[in-house]
Amino acid sequence: MSIPTFEEIIEPNDQTEARAEHLEKLLELTGNVYPNKFVRTKLTGSDDTISAIKSYQPIADVEARMAAVRAGLKEGERPPAEIKDAINAELKALGNVRIAGRLTTPPRGNFVHLTDGMSKLQIYAKKGQFTLIKNDGKDTPDEENAWTAWQMIDHGDFVGVDGYLFVTNTGEVSVHVEKLQFLAKAMLPMPDKMHGIEDPEIKQRQRYVDLIGSSLQVKAEPPASAGGTNAAGKVSGDDESVSISTSLPPADAGGSALTTREVFERRAKIISSMRRFLEDHGYVEVETPMLTPKATGAAAKPFETHHNALDIKLYARIAPELYLKRLVVGGFEKVYELNRNFRNEGISYKHNPEFTMLEFYCAYMDVNGMMDFCEELLRQSVEKATGGLVAEYEGNQIDFGRFERITMSEAVVRVSEPGAIATGSLPASKKNPVATAPGSDLLDRELLERFESDVEQTLIQPTFIIDFPKSISPLSKADPMNPQIAERFELFINGMEVANGFSELNDPKEQYERFVDQMSERERGDEEAMVLDEDYIRALSYGMPPAAGIGIGIDRLTMLLTNKHSIRDVILFPHTRPEKKDGEARSGGEGESESGD
RNA sequence: GGUCCGAUAGCUCAGUCGGUAGAGCAAAUGGCUUUUAACCAUUGGGUCGAAGGUUCGAGUCCUUCUCGGAUCACCA
């Protein structure tokens, strides 16, 4: 395979040629368009990102005052000069700012906006009133060529400016440029400023362009008051104990869809809020192997690989479950891992080959305690991420303030025609005392199938399905009142399984027998039946306290909280087929087809 | 893997009954220079996903293929 040329990679066109010409000219003027650093000021007391400056209180105040002044003006009328002059004097007294960012607008004219990826700040350059800072290592100022250089700016370039703050006739606080420095050139054209990138393939393969498009996109600024995302980053941990009431508007109510950037900001908030919550409750974060000699702890097909030095087969883990419980054996009473799992199965709107799962265990707790804790965890996380407890998802209002708990058999009966199911064929439960409990695998599987085909998609509001058949729950403890029922739940929201938890089986002998059953299922052709893990049996034999555990699908939860229909919209770089040019053969997999499996 | 939908300028999209390839944004040139999706004028930009077929003539109709999306089956 030949190495592609630079030109083959960037695919020149009239637009890249124009940029290349500008680059050449700028190299003459500045010596270099890729300097090593740019020091921003400390106006706001922290690193002066554009977001930090935009939310800096004195500046926000000025914009509010100008908005009030302009509200009293007629269409097209300019604000009185004396008010503007007074405000501008105040702004100038704050001192010069040094900011850096990417041009969000084409450069024609004196005004452009710079973005730090989140917020925008306008800069204003007037011929003869600023100098060009050469990137010669000495930051030599050049007055003569400053305007020429300004005209070489392209949409998407990174520049740094030094200047004073002022307010325009339209009330926008802007930076009057006094020094201009080029920080990086954009050789490729920017995405459409109104639409961003919409082609799902480019969005996913080239997430960087999608994110650029998202930051360039013109979007109504949230009201300057509180309520919007707190870009200042001054999360004070304490004021959050004043609980946000459920009377807040539902997340994103009536608002436009989140930009790509906002989706991933929100994902980060979900994850960090969960970490904080668990740590506040005494949980310890651990990391267990991603490459494992046995793929077990869940029912799924693994990815296989090979370790050369050891000459052994390894599997990308399908779940950290058995490792985490080994740690409970070892004395970690509360332990969690928030990381990736890998399953070599289909891809769909809710399945990606690698997905993020939060898994945690708590000693001395049972399945009911775990459901309570899970509710609390989700509630606080939803509030932190969206500002409310009600998330709008594809037209449904999902209320995280209320979780229902119903048994699997009850759920099946509910959606079935009266009399269609003889209650005797369903496992009994506390809530279903009339049912007898045959508990044979066949009936259990039938129940599960009916549940999956008829019930799952009807579970829109958060619902814990409880009382799973034991035969399909090889790692769960049985209900002490009913040996055919496992103390296990799955949480469903909008028809998707979001969490799965149970009272952990800690009797080594029984666990061994359950594995043996699974192995015989495997021999009968069930590829996903669980694999016996001898070392895990040995670990349990040292004694594991009673414990409950849970796995929460972070990607799916993020879908729900960002109103995204596809899991690929909440994963930065989801799996895609290898990129392929027209006419090329499918990249050489012939020799290693999967026909063997 | 099955079914359905899609691929046209750098981006977002029109393209009627088969008859010269279009718009907005982006780009270039000039003007303007406190604009708010800046504006005005001019210009350049296309292997219409690929290959084949029907036809005097194909972006448009047919076949095959590639890629993508939705959906069903499997799966969290």
Side-chain angles (χ1 to χ4, degrees), chain A residues 415-429:
Chain A
V415 299
S416 304
E417 296 287 321
I421 295 182
T423 44
S425 68
L426 297 172
S429 73

Side-chain angles (χ1 to χ4, degrees), chain A residues 54-96:
Chain A
K54 283 296 270 191
S55 54
Y56 185 49
Q57 203 55 49
I59 291 173
D61 289 346
V62 161
E63 288 198 326
R65 275 156 62 197
M66 279 300 284
V69 169
R70 284 173 47 77
L73 298 177
K74 289 188 208 106
E75 181 90 15
E77 197 182 348
R78 292 185 169 186
E82 59 273 18
I83 295 180
K84 244 186 79 177
D85 290 348
I87 286 179
N88 281 336
E90 274 176 49
L91 286 171
K92 208 161 182 180
L94 292 172
N96 268 28

